[in-house]
Amino acid sequence: MSKWNPANWKTTAGRIAASAVAIAALAALVTYETAKPMAARAAVSSPAPAAAALDDNSVGALLSLDQAMETLAARVTPAIVNVAVTSKSKPDMAAPQQIPDDMQQFFGPGFGQGFGPHGRPQPQIEHGIGSGVIISPDGYIVTNNHVIDGAVDIRVTMSNRKTMTAKLVGADPLTDLAVLKVDGGSLPSIPLGDSTALHPGQTVLAFGNPMGFRFTVTRGIVSALNRPNPFSDNARKPGEFIQTDAAINPGNSGGPLVNAHGEVIGINTFLVSSSGAFSGMGFAIPTQIVKPTVDTLIRDGKVTHGYMGIGISDVTPENSKFFDVSDASGAVVTSVESGSPAAKGGLKVGDVITELNGQKVTDAGELQVEVGQKTPGATIKLGVLRDGKSLSVPVTLEAMGSRDKQGVETSEADHGKMHWGVGLSDITPDIREQLQAPKDLHGAVIEQVQPGSPADNAGLQRGDIIVQVNRHDVQSASDVQQALGSVPKGKDALILVWSNGGNTFRVLHAPEGS
């Protein structure tokens, strides 16, 4: 039987204690070595405190501008509507349906073509979107005519997501304006302002629904005023557009361009872009056109425009000397339709219209807008400068579209070439038909333009027809050749040219070395 020995117990206890200490030390070492890299990594990845933000006093002007824009946007946005249109196409049985190039950017993929058996176009339902603005608490809405053209159903959605069916009150294709009406009272609305008080550089905001993104606001400036009509389909369409760099994109059509006071000073209508998307050149119909058109549409449901029956263009610093005009302002008459109010009043090609009812006429666009807004049957008094002499010419207006163009026969002649850099021939029946020139149009058709010549520099092209040289009518190519040949050496020549359905004056600068 073994005996218990205290010494042996002490030795054993010591060994146990030493083992326990060793185990504890090892555990602590493992814990330290594991935790140490984590702490080190944490210390390395923690960024230093950033510099303090700028205080309000340092950016007070910017904050004030932001606050003003926010206030303006909050005031206007409730009066903006999204216009959704369902329309039925009217197919041309001889050709595929196409939306005009100048309007394509305002419609989504839903606007397209549909063809039945044998490739013949069939009627189809189309869908499009645009914008509009409520201008009265009782629900009158202004938009573009091309947004609602052909519509069988129109629905508008407000910023609070309320959707209502809209009734078409009236539309005017010439100005591209339309008025809708929804039921309701105390609707949010914004007033029409005075576009004639605008100046380039002023801040403006464009509101609308671009690319399907509803209730968008963009900011820019008035880039230019009184821009001419860029469309070639109808020379009677008025211009005077506001140009802006506020972003206008497909879907913005019909939305308002607004000034700093929250007033509508234009209705966004088109953009100029090689890609069809925003390029910094948006255009709006000014309220000087919008207001009288909208008032008439609300009152009568349609607009009848006054008509004189003339073609006009601007007097420029380049051509003013040919009309004895000192300040290069006014509108020069480029054509007078036979039997028209202008013809009956005694207007002639080459007359410069300087006043309308006692008010100065600055340019052709201004005159076109003012006359178009007059009531058919009204008599206007024109201040005219003819061969340096001032005349007063009364003209009683007719309704636009109330007459058809008329024409008479013409004759043939030989070819001719001149040192002005243009080859000419007489207008034959075949040429007249190809160019769709009026039957009463006389002159010489351009067959060739020499690159770099005076004719080329004046923008003349093959197919243009010269109808006057230095304010004298010409009947043939030989007449034009003789008239240009008699221009004194070193002197410029003024020609009246028919092109694409309208007349314009062009200046041929004297050829070098002549």
Side-chain angles (χ1 to χ4, degrees):
M1 183 174 183
S2 301
K3 293 183 178 180
W4 177 69
N5 188 335
N8 291 340
W9 178 82
K10 290 179 181 180
T11 300
T12 302
R15 290 173 180 172
I16 293 172
S19 299
V21 170
I23 292 171
L26 180 61
L29 179 62
V30 171
T31 301
Y32 171 76
E33 292 299 328
T34 302
K36 180 180 179 181
M38 293 177 63
R41 286 195 299 271
V44 171
S45 61
S46 297
L54 294 172
D55 58 43
D56 288 354
N57 291 331
S58 301
V59 291
L62 285 177
L63 293 177
S64 297
L65 177 61
D66 285 347
Q67 184 178 13
M69 292 298 104
E70 291 167 11
T71 301
L72 180 56
R75 167 68 179 84
V76 173
T77 297
I80 307 304
V81 297
N82 173 273
V83 181
V85 175
T86 301
S87 62
K88 180 178 289 188
S89 66
K90 298 177 181 179
D92 181 352
M93 300 309 292
Q97 284 288 292
Q98 292 184 343
I99 298 169
D101 291 340
D102 54 15
M103 296 300 180
Q104 281 184 356
Q105 63 263 43
F106 299 108
F107 298 93
F111 280 80
Q113 305 175 28
F115 298 91
H118 310 297
R120 296 177 67 83
Q122 302 293 319
Q124 62 177 345
I125 296 299
E126 299 173 335
H127 301 278
I129 59 171
S131 306
V133 55
I134 304 174
I135 60 166
S136 66
D138 54 347
Y140 283 102
I141 298 170
V142 178
T143 186
N144 283 142
N145 173 72
H146 76 257
V147 169
I148 54 82
D149 189 28
V152 294
D153 182 71
I154 305 173
R155 296 181 183 274
V156 299
T157 302
M158 301 180 64
S159 61
N160 62 4
R161 299 188 179 185
K162 181 179 181 180
T163 299
M164 296 176 283
T165 299
K167 180 182 70 173
L168 177 61
V169 175
D172 181 32
L174 194 72
T175 58
D176 194 26
L177 291 167
V179 176
L180 310 177
K181 179 71 167 64
V182 295
D183 293 332
S186 301
L187 294 174
S189 61
I190 54 176
L192 297 177
D194 181 9
S195 61
T196 62
L198 289 176
H199 299 283
Q202 281 187 244
T203 296
V204 287
L205 274 67
F207 291 80
N209 305 277
M211 305 289 193
F213 292 93
R214 295 183 175 181
F215 308 108
T216 299
V217 56
T218 56
R219 188 175 76 189
I221 63 169
V222 174
S223 301
L225 297 168
N226 305 325
R227 288 303 196 199
N229 167 30
F231 304 119
S232 60
D233 60 326
N234 188 348
R236 294 173 177 172
K237 288 182 177 179
E240 302 298 276
F241 291 107
I242 302 167
Q243 180 184 332
T244 180
D245 67 347
I248 293 176
N249 278 297
N252 272 113
S253 284
L257 192 67
V258 174
N259 64 13
H261 296 285
E263 299 170 317
V264 179
I265 46 85
I267 297 296
N268 304 321
T269 185
F270 69 93
L271 59 95
V272 172
S273 169
S274 58
S275 65
F278 173 66
S279 64
M281 294 183 67
F283 294 82
I285 306 166
T287 51
Q288 70 189 81
I289 296 176
V290 174
K291 191 176 189 312
T293 303
V294 166
D295 289 345
T296 303
L297 287 174
I298 292 175
R299 184 184 69 241
D300 302 330
K302 64 179 182 179
V303 177
T304 305
H305 297 277
Y307 161 80
M308 278 201 293
I310 60 173
I312 52 176
S313 63
D314 291 341
V315 177
T316 67
E318 188 178 40
N319 66 26
S320 60
K321 59 186 177 182
F322 293 98
F323 303 106
D324 297 318
V325 179
S326 58
D327 60 354
S329 65
V332 59
V333 178
T334 59
S335 63
V336 179
E337 293 184 22
S338 176
S340 67
K344 295 174 183 177
L347 283 178
K348 296 181 179 180
V349 172
D351 285 348
V352 176
I353 301 174
T354 58
E355 290 185 354
L356 171 62
N357 291 337
Q359 299 296 316
K360 182 177 179 179
V361 172
T362 303
D363 54 38
E366 180 184 32
L367 177 63
Q368 187 176 25
V369 169
E370 292 296 328
V371 172
Q373 291 175 353
K374 302 296 183 185
T375 304
T379 298
I380 58 175
K381 185 175 291 186
L382 300 175
V384 173
L385 191 64
R386 179 182 297 168
D387 298 326
K389 298 179 180 179
S390 296
L391 304 173
S392 179
V393 178
V395 176
T396 301
L397 303 178
E398 294 181 2
M400 188 175 293
S402 62
R403 60 170 49 238
D404 296 323
K405 292 183 179 180
Q406 302 175 1
V408 295
E409 294 290 329
T410 188
S411 60
E412 301 183 16
D414 298 327
H415 292 261
K417 281 204 172 188
M418 296 165 289
H419 70 293
W420 297 90
V422 61
L424 303 168
S425 69
D426 286 338
I427 306 173
T428 66
D430 287 342
I431 290 176
R432 188 181 298 278
E433 183 178 358
Q434 290 175 17
L435 298 178
Q436 297 184 341
K439 292 182 179 180
D440 61 349
L441 185 71
H442 298 270
V445 63
I446 296 175
E447 286 198 339
Q448 184 179 2
V449 177
Q450 181 181 350
S453 66
D456 186 29
N457 294 336
L460 297 182
Q461 297 181 358
R462 187 173 185 270
D464 291 348
I465 297 176
I466 299 177
V467 298
Q468 273 192 5
V469 177
N470 282 342
R471 308 283 305 282
H472 295 288
D473 293 340
V474 290
Q475 302 293 319
S476 63
S478 61
D479 284 355
V480 176
Q481 186 176 16
Q482 182 178 359
L484 288 176
S486 64
V487 175
K489 184 178 180 179
K491 296 293 185 180
D492 297 340
L494 180 73
I495 61 174
L496 182 62
V497 178
W498 181 92
S499 179
N500 296 322
N503 289 355
T504 57
F505 280 104
R506 310 283 182 89
V507 175
L508 295 179
H509 293 292
E512 293 184 5
S514 66

